[in-house]
Amino acid sequence: MQSTTTYGGAGAAPITHPASGARNINARDGEIHPADIAVGVVIGRASEYFEFFVYAIASVLVFPAVFFPWADRLEATLYSFIVFSFAFIARPIGTVVFMAIQNRFSREVKLTIALFVMGTSTVVISFLPSYDRIGMLSIVILSLMRIGQGVAQGGSWDGLPSLLALSAPEHKRGWYAMLGQLAAPIGFLIAAGLFAYLLTNLSQDDFLVWGWRFPFFCAFMINIVALFARLRLVSTSEYSRLLDAHELDPAPVGELVKSQGSNIAIGALAALASYALFHLVTVFPLSWIQLYDTRPMDEFLHVQMWGAGLAVLAILASGYIADKVGRRTTLGTLAALIGLFALAVPSLMDGGITGQNTFILVGFVLLGLSYGQAAGAVTANFKQQYRYTGAALTSDLAWLVGAAFAPLVALGLSAHFGLGYVSLYLLSGAVGSLAALSLNRALEIRD
C-alpha cells in the first residue's frame, strides 16, 4: 500500500509517493514499452540536434564576420568550419571520459555533469565578445567552448537508443530505429526557421551584434529541459532494471576495441554516405550561396526548411521500407542512390535557383531515407555486453569520419577546384558505405 504525506494543513491535497514519481509516468505496471523508450530518445536527440544546427548555421552566417573579420570571406568561413569540427573530434574523448565517470559514480551523475558542461559552453558562446573587442582571445574561447560542447555530447549518451533497438518488436525494428532520427530534420527546421526570422526582421548590423545570440539562449534552455527529462527517465527503477537486464553498462574501452574493433569500423563506415550527405545539404549549400550567389539567405533557409519537412516524411517512410526489405538492403540501396545523386551536384548547384532548389529538396529526401536507418548500422553488430559503449563510440566515429570535416572539405574543394570535386567527395562516402555493408553480415542476419 502506497504511503501519503499531507502538507499545509488538513485541507491540503495529499502528496503520494513513490508511485506518483517519474517511474509511473513511463511505466505501465512496472513494464517499459518501446514507445516509452522512444519518447526519451526523441526528447534527448531533438534538443541535441537543435543546438547542433544553431551552431552550424551560425558557423556560416555569423562567425566568419564576428570572429574572423581579418580574413577574406572564403578564408573566414573555412576557419569557422575548422572550429566547427572540434566538437566531433572531442566527442569520442567525451564518451570515454564520461563512461569512466559513470563506472565510478552513476549514470545520473554522468548526465548531470554533461548538462553542466553543455549549458556552460553554450551560454559562454552566446555572451562571447567579438574579435574586434578582445582579439584572438575570442577565437580561443570559441574553440574551447566548441570542444566543451563535443565532450558534453559524448557524455550525454544515456543508452536509450540501444535499449530501444533491443526492445523493439522484431517485425518493427526499422520503424523504431527511425524514431530517434526524426529529431535531425526537426532540429534543423526549428533552427533554420529561427535564423530566417531574425534575418528577415533585423538589420545586418543588429543581427551580427546581438541577434545571432538569441538562438544560443534558446538552445541552452531547451537542452536543460531535455537533459533533465532524460535524467528523470533513466533514474527510475524500471529503466535501471531494463538497462541492467540488457547489460547496457560501460565496457572497458581497451577490451571493447580488442574484441569488437572490426565492428566499430564497420558500423562507422556503413552509414558514411548518409553522414556525408548530412552536411552537404544543410551546412555546405548555405556557405556556397553566401559566398557565390546573390540569393537572400532567409529565402534560401526557407527552401531548406521545406527540404527538412520532406526529410521527416522520408524518415517515416524508411521505417516502413526497412521492415519490408531489411535495414542492410535499405542502407545499401540508398548509398547507391546517393552515389548517383553525387554526380549531379555540379549541374544542380550551378543551375540557378531551380537547380539549387532541386539539389536541396532531392538531397533532403535521400538524406531522410538513408539517415532514418543509420542508427541500425550502429547497434546491430555488437555482443550484448559491449553494446552500450560500442554503440556510443561507433556513433561518435561515424560523425567524425563522415560529417565533421564535410563542410570544410566540400567548400575548400569547390572554391579551389570546382564543384566536381564535391561530387567525388560524396561519391567516396557512398563507396565506403557499400564496402562496409558488404562486410556487415551480422546486420543482415539480425534483420
Side-chain angles (χ1 to χ4, degrees), residues 345-358:
V345 171
S347 60
L348 291 177
M349 287 299 292
D350 268 342
I353 291 177
T354 301
Q356 293 162 1
N357 290 353
T358 302

Side-chain angles (χ1 to χ4, degrees), residues 5-253:
T5 305
T6 302
Y7 294 94
I15 299 175
T16 305
H17 60 79
S20 62
R23 72 182 66 180
N24 203 41
I25 294 174
N26 300 289
R28 302 185 185 96
D29 299 322
E31 182 182 357
I32 302 293
H33 291 252
D36 301 321
I37 305 170
V39 171
V41 173
V42 173
I43 288 174
R45 302 199 74 182
S47 64
E48 290 177 0
Y49 278 112
F50 174 70
E51 184 166 45
F52 172 91
F53 282 118
V54 163
Y55 189 98
I57 295 172
S59 291
V60 176
L61 302 183
V62 178
F63 295 161
V66 172
F67 297 110
F68 305 98
W70 41 268
D72 65 43
R73 294 174 64 195
L74 173 60
E75 288 182 349
T77 306
L78 293 174
Y79 287 137
S80 180
F81 283 163
I82 290 174
V83 178
F84 174 73
S85 70
F86 289 170
F88 301 95
I89 298 171
R91 187 167 174 166
I93 299 171
T95 295
V96 173
V97 170
F98 277 93
M99 289 290 180
I101 292 174
Q102 181 174 334
N103 269 331
R104 182 81 167 88
F105 300 101
S106 67
R107 184 178 284 105
E108 292 84 356
V109 169
K110 180 185 80 167
L111 287 175
T112 301
I113 297 174
L115 179 151
F116 177 79
V117 174
M118 179 67 78
T120 300
S121 300
T122 303
V123 165
V124 170
I125 292 174
S126 69
F127 282 108
L128 188 58
S130 67
Y131 179 89
D132 290 337
R133 293 183 60 188
I134 61 174
M136 288 297 295
L137 183 59
S138 66
I139 300 174
V140 172
I141 296 174
L142 178 67
S143 300
L144 291 175
M145 294 306 101
R146 184 58 177 164
I147 292 171
Q149 287 183 324
V151 169
Q153 285 172 348
S156 67
W157 179 256
D158 51 23
L160 291 179
S162 295
L163 187 60
L164 179 61
L166 289 167
S167 304
E170 186 172 352
H171 61 288
K172 289 188 176 181
R173 286 178 178 172
W175 179 260
Y176 280 98
M178 69 81 192
L179 289 175
Q181 310 298 78
L182 284 170
I186 292 173
F188 180 82
L189 191 64
I190 299 172
L194 191 52
F195 273 99
Y197 176 83
L198 293 171
L199 287 170
T200 302
N201 291 279
L202 296 178
S203 67
Q204 181 75 358
D205 287 342
D206 285 343
F207 175 72
L208 291 178
V209 171
W210 61 266
W212 68 269
R213 302 176 189 274
F214 179 70
F216 283 87
F217 286 121
C218 294
F220 167 70
M221 291 183 289
I222 290 173
N223 244 310
I224 285 182
V225 173
L227 276 172
F228 271 117
R230 293 159 68 191
L231 185 63
R232 194 180 186 193
L233 288 171
V234 301
S235 64
T236 61
S237 59
E238 286 82 2
Y239 273 91
S240 296
R241 282 198 297 268
L242 197 56
L243 288 163
D244 292 340
H246 286 295
E247 301 181 41
L248 291 177
D249 289 309
V253 174

Side-chain angles (χ1 to χ4, degrees), residues 355-393:
Q356 293 162 1
N357 290 353
T358 302
F359 173 78
I360 294 300
L361 298 178
V362 175
F364 265 106
V365 170
L366 290 174
L367 175 64
L369 290 170
S370 59
Y371 190 68
Q373 295 305 308
V378 170
T379 58
N381 287 358
F382 292 100
K383 294 180 181 178
Q384 194 155 304
Q385 67 268 32
Y386 296 117
R387 185 169 294 225
Y388 181 82
T389 307
L393 283 176

